[in-house]
Amino acid sequence: MWALLSLAVGSFGIGMTEFVVMGLLPNIAADLLPVVWASSSEDAIAQAGWLITLYALGVVVGAPTIAGAVAKYPRHRVMIGLALALTVFNALTFLAPTFEWVALSRFLAGLPHGAYFGIGALVAAEVLGPGQRAKGVAFVLTGLTIANVVGVPLGTYLGQQVGWRAAFMVVAGIFAAATVLIAFFVPEHPGDPGRTLRAELKVFRIGQVWLALAVGAIGFGGFFAVYTYVAPMVTEVAGSPEWVVPIVLILMGLGMTIGNLVGGHLADVDLKRTLVGGLVALALVLALLAVTSHWIWALAFFVFLTGFTSSVLSPTIQTRLMDVAEDNQSIAAALNHSALNIGNSLGAFLGGVAIAVGWGFVAPAWVGVALALGGLGLAFASLAAERARGVVLSN
C-alpha cells in the first residue's frame, strides 16, 4: 500500500502542476508580460495560454519517447528519475526570470508526465497482482483527480495571495517528497533488458493501438470541451457570481475522483462493456448538461457527473491500451497520456471555435456530445475488428 501511495503523491503533483496554471494565467500574464498587459489584458492572457499548450506538447512528445527509451531499465529506478526530473523542472518554473524561460520550463515539465503515469501504472499493476490491473492504474491516477479537488484550488488561492511562483514552489516540494517516498517504498521491479526504443516504437504498427489512442483522444476530448469553459457557463449561462466557479470545479474534481476508482473496479470486471457504457454515459450527461445549464443546481450536478463518467473511462482506456499493445507495455501505458492531452487540445479548440462563431457558451457541451459519440463509434470499430480477427484466427 505504501508503494501505491508513494506513486499517488507524484500523480497529485502532476495534477496540480498541469491544472493550476489555468487559474493563475492572469497573474502570470501581468507579471511576465507587463507591456502587453498594459495594452490589453486579454491579449496578455491569451499569450500566457501558450504555457498550457507547451505543457501538453511536452506530454505528447515525452510519453512515447521516454517510456520507450527506459523500458529496459528497472522500473523503480526509472520512477525515481522521473520524479526527480519533475522536481527540477517545476523548480525551474518557480525560479525562471522571464516568460521565455517559464515557457521552456513548462515544456520540460510536461516531458516526464506520460512516462510517470504509464510506468507507474505497470508497477501498480504488478504490486496488486493478476486480475486487478485496472485497480492499480486507477490508484495511481487517484492522486491526479484529488489534485483537482484540493491541490488546484489551494494552489490557485496561494498563487493569487502570495504570487503565482509560490504555487510552483509547493509543486516542486511535492515532487521532492514523492522522489523520497518512491525511493523508500516502491519495491524493485526489473525492466526488460532486451527492449530498446526502436523495439518499443513497433507498437505503432498495431492497428488496435491506433484505435485505442483515437478513442482516448476523441472520446475524452468531450470532457475537455466542457472543462475548459466551465467558468463562463457558470457566470454567463447560469448567471451565478464568480465565487461559485471554484465550488463547481471542486464538484467536478470529486466526480473525477469517485469515477476513477469506480472505473478501475468496473474495468477489471468487464473492460469492454465499461468502455462502451462509459462513452454512452458521457455523451448522455453532456447532453443533459447542455439543456439544463441555465439552472445552477442542475449545472453543478451534471458537471459532477461529467467528471464522474469521464474518469470511469480513464483507467479503462489505459488498460485497453495495455491489452492490445502485446509486449510493448511501457510505451503503451504512457501513450494514453499523449492521447488524453491531444484530447485536451482538441476539446478546448473545438469548444472555442463553437463559441467564436456565435453559438454561445453552452455550445462546448454539444461539442462534447459529438466527441463522445465519435469515441463511441471508434470503440465499436475496435471491438468489431477484434472479433473479426478472432473469427479468422479460429478458422
Side-chain angles (χ1 to χ4, degrees):
M1 181 58 72
W2 276 103
L4 297 180
L5 287 172
S6 301
L7 296 172
V9 170
S11 69
F12 179 92
I14 289 177
M16 190 169 174
T17 193
E18 181 175 14
F19 295 114
V20 77
V21 177
M22 297 175 184
L24 293 175
L25 277 184
N27 309 78
I28 296 172
D31 181 35
L32 297 179
L33 301 167
V35 175
V36 181
W37 181 270
S39 174
S40 170
S41 60
E42 289 83 1
D43 289 346
I45 292 172
Q47 187 172 332
W50 276 99
L51 300 179
I52 298 171
T53 303
L54 286 168
Y55 183 91
L57 179 61
V59 178
V60 173
V61 172
T65 53
I66 294 176
V70 302
K72 63 182 179 181
Y73 299 110
R75 289 171 180 164
H76 65 291
R77 294 183 184 176
V78 170
M79 293 304 295
I80 294 171
L82 292 171
L84 182 60
L86 286 161
T87 304
V88 172
F89 294 147
N90 279 278
L92 179 59
T93 300
F94 165 65
L95 296 170
T98 66
F99 180 80
E100 290 76 16
W101 277 102
V102 171
L104 175 63
S105 74
R106 297 313 296 155
F107 174 76
L108 293 174
L111 291 174
H113 174 128
Y116 183 95
F117 278 117
I119 298 172
L122 295 176
V123 172
E126 290 178 12
V127 168
L128 289 179
Q132 300 191 76
R133 290 185 311 147
K135 288 189 183 71
V137 171
F139 200 101
V140 175
L141 289 171
T142 297
L144 186 148
T145 58
I146 292 176
N148 282 278
V149 181
V150 180
V152 173
L154 289 180
T156 301
Y157 178 78
L158 177 67
Q160 290 171 339
Q161 299 302 313
V162 182
W164 66 267
R165 295 180 188 274
F168 290 97
M169 180 177 67
V170 171
V171 169
I174 291 170
F175 283 125
T179 304
V180 174
L181 289 169
I182 291 169
F184 274 100
F185 294 112
V186 173
E188 291 191 9
H189 287 265
D192 186 346
R195 302 303 295 178
T196 64
L197 176 58
R198 183 176 180 180
E200 286 285 310
L201 290 177
K202 290 180 180 178
V203 72
F204 291 110
R205 298 180 182 178
I206 304 172
Q208 284 288 357
V209 167
W210 284 103
L211 283 170
L213 290 172
V215 170
I218 295 175
F220 213 85
F223 162 74
F224 285 110
V226 170
Y227 192 129
T228 308
Y229 302 103
V230 162
M233 287 183 71
V234 170
T235 56
E236 303 299 324
V237 179
S240 296
E242 287 188 349
W243 61 263
V244 177
V245 174
I247 297 174
V248 173
L249 290 174
I250 288 172
L251 287 173
M252 178 172 276
L254 287 171
M256 292 170 66
T257 302
I258 299 170
N260 177 58
L261 296 174
V262 171
H265 171 74
L266 292 178
D268 278 330
V269 174
D270 193 323
L271 189 146
K272 295 175 183 178
R273 289 186 179 179
T274 304
L275 178 62
V276 171
L279 288 164
V280 170
L282 179 60
L284 178 61
V285 166
L286 290 174
L288 291 171
L289 171 64
V291 299
T292 63
S293 57
H294 292 278
W295 297 283
I296 186 60
W297 295 109
L299 184 150
F301 176 68
F302 286 114
V303 162
F304 169 84
L305 288 183
T306 298
F308 176 86
T309 52
S310 63
S311 287
V312 166
L313 289 169
S314 188
T316 306
I317 294 171
Q318 180 148 345
T319 307
R320 172 67 177 171
L321 264 171
M322 293 161 65
D323 281 348
V324 301
E326 299 174 2
D327 60 345
N328 307 288
Q329 292 292 293
S330 294
I331 194 170
L335 277 171
N336 182 47
H337 297 277
S338 290
L340 296 186
N341 274 270
I342 291 172
N344 186 346
S345 300
L346 180 66
F349 171 73
L350 293 178
V353 168
I355 293 171
V357 299
W359 293 348
F361 287 111
V362 175
W366 291 116
V367 170
V369 172
L371 289 171
L373 292 176
L376 179 63
L378 289 165
F380 279 132
S382 174
L383 297 177
E386 189 173 70
R387 285 194 299 270
R389 184 170 184 268
V391 170
V392 171
L393 291 176
S394 66
N395 290 335

